[in-house]
């Protein structure tokens, strides 16, 4: 009698557990997508398009929540939140991954890529694709590269030659390469979260920054930076990343559909990013609040020569194979 009662109780417990698992299985997979910029930027638009396409094609299976403008997590803690699975999708700028891999520092090297097309070629080739998997030991998996654009230098004084930056304090992302970049031209640098840049420039805490046009316009940085030099000296790109255990734990067919959506969104983000930057560049000019400085080829080469020693400084950390692969994408253009 006792054994029968125990068996019945065990059976009831198993049925209850099975029912609970079924209920959980019926719940959609929740993906929290957090980022630090405005909805109107290329990254912000990409996040919203991803949310829209997932709702259209995987409604009931996957739910995406988007948190822009550091409303959920900011620069300082978003990657730790991802590793703890408190958020499932981020698109941090490539400079933010320094503590997890040194190879991605290749994208911070000043004047390495001639233009955005060169960046595209590198990211599509073998070395660029390998870098997406360079942080899996830290529970971070790269899913795609998203463009924001080529970086420009803004400051409280006109920057025509490298010497003009001497003594200025520039806001940077956490990156040893970017620190070295400004040190090469006699400037100082200060690491600040993106959400604090406007106030830091407005107060004079820092006197300069480097950003693509869309970031400058969307954050109104041109209103507190009287000069912007069109240097195109570096790339500010993002890597769309997820928590590795979470991502590979998604049922295979659902994950395949999500990856297809990501490919589609990536194409649209990268196609629209340059158009958005050119539009915002013109808006900044039209505002009359900041003077655009167009460098001559000789002036730009002087900046490149001044900053190029940074390449050799970080070649050992990045890997000579990665650096050579990045340099190779420019060769056709230069011949």
């Amino acid at each position: 009698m006792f054994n029968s009662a125990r068996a019945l109780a065990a059976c009831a417990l198993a049925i209850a557990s099975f029912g609970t698992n079924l209920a959980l299985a019926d719940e959609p997979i929740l993906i929290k997508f957090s980022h630090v910029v405005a909805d109107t930027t290329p990254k912000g638009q990409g996040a919203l398009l991803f949310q829209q396409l997932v709702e259209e094609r995987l409604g009931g299976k996957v739910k995406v929540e988007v948190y822009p403008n550091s409303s959920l997590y900011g620069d300082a803690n978003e990657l730790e939140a991802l590793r703890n699975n408190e958020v499932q999708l981020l698109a941090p700028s490539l400079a933010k991954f320094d503590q997890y891999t040194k190879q991605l520092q290749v994208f911070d090297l000043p004047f390495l890529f001639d233009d955005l097309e060169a960046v595209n070629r590198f990211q599509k080739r073998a070395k660029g694709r390998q870098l997406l998997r360079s942080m899996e030991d830290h529970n971070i998996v790269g899913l795609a590269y998203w463009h924001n654009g080529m970086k420009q230098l803004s400051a409280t004084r006109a920057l025509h030659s490298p010497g003009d930056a001497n003594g200025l304090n520039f806001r940077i992302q956490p990156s040893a390469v970017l620190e070295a970049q400004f040190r090469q031209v006699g400037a100082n640098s200060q690491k600040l979260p993106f959400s604090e840049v406007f106030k830091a420039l407005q107060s004079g805490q820092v006197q300069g920054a480097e950003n693509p046009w869309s970031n400058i316009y969307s954050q109104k940085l041109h209103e507190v930076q009287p000069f912007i030099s069109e240097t195109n000296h570096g790339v500010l790109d993002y890597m769309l990343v997820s928590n590795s255990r979470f991502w590979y734990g998604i049922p295979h067919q659902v994950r395949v559909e999500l990856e297809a959506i990501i490919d589609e969104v990536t194409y649209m983000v990268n196609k629209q990013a340059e158009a958005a930057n050119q539009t915002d560049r013109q808006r900044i000019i039209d505002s009359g609040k900041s003077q655009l400085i167009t460098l001559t080829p000789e002036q730009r080469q002087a900046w490149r020569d001044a900053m190029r020693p940074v390449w050799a400084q970080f070649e050992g950390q990045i890997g000579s194979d990665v650096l050579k692969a990045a340099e190779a994408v420019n060769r056709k253009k230069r011949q």
Side-chain angles (χ1 to χ4, degrees), residues 109-297:
L109 293 176
F111 295 97
L112 174 59
F113 297 104
D114 284 345
D115 51 31
L116 206 54
E117 284 307 309
V119 177
N120 275 330
R121 287 193 291 272
F122 176 70
Q123 290 176 348
K124 290 176 181 177
R125 293 182 184 179
K127 284 297 179 186
R129 301 302 298 173
Q130 287 174 17
L131 294 182
L132 290 172
R133 301 292 182 261
S134 62
M135 297 176 287
E136 290 192 344
D137 287 347
H138 297 279
N139 199 26
I140 299 171
V141 57
L143 305 174
Y145 293 107
W146 284 8
H147 291 328
N148 192 356
M150 302 301 285
K151 294 187 291 187
Q152 321 305 332
L153 287 178
S154 65
T156 52
R157 73 168 74 129
L159 302 177
H160 295 280
S161 66
D164 295 331
N166 186 55
L168 292 179
N169 192 16
F170 286 83
R171 177 267 172 177
I172 61 167
Q173 301 177 77
S175 166
V177 174
L178 299 182
E179 285 186 75
Q181 163 188 287
F182 285 112
R183 197 181 305 121
Q184 282 295 128
V185 294
N188 302 310
S189 57
Q190 185 171 349
K191 300 170 187 175
L192 290 171
F194 187 65
S195 59
E196 297 177 16
V197 176
F198 180 88
K199 287 184 178 179
L201 291 169
Q202 186 181 45
S203 68
Q205 179 183 352
V206 292
Q207 298 83 49
E210 54 171 13
N211 283 286
W213 297 111
S214 63
N215 277 16
I216 295 171
Y217 185 77
S218 68
Q219 299 297 314
K220 301 182 180 180
L221 303 185
H222 61 293
E223 297 183 2
V224 290
Q225 292 279 264
F227 300 99
I228 304 174
S229 294
E230 193 166 21
T231 51
N232 291 311
H233 64 280
V235 60
L236 181 58
D237 266 9
Y238 307 115
M239 184 183 288
L240 185 67
V241 293
S242 185
N243 176 294
S244 297
R245 287 191 288 272
F246 167 82
W247 190 255
Y248 293 124
I250 295 173
H252 176 73
Q253 188 54 46
V254 175
R255 190 170 73 249
V256 167
E257 292 182 65
L258 285 170
E259 289 169 349
I261 291 172
I262 287 171
D263 287 344
E264 187 173 335
V265 172
T266 298
Y267 174 80
M268 293 303 298
V269 167
N270 292 349
K271 182 179 179 182
Q272 292 174 2
E274 185 59 19
N277 276 296
Q278 291 307 310
T279 297
D280 287 342
R281 175 184 181 274
Q282 189 59 47
R283 285 172 173 166
I284 291 168
I285 294 171
D286 293 344
S287 75
K289 295 181 178 179
S290 189
Q291 179 184 337
L292 174 64
I293 297 168
T294 302
L295 302 179
T296 66

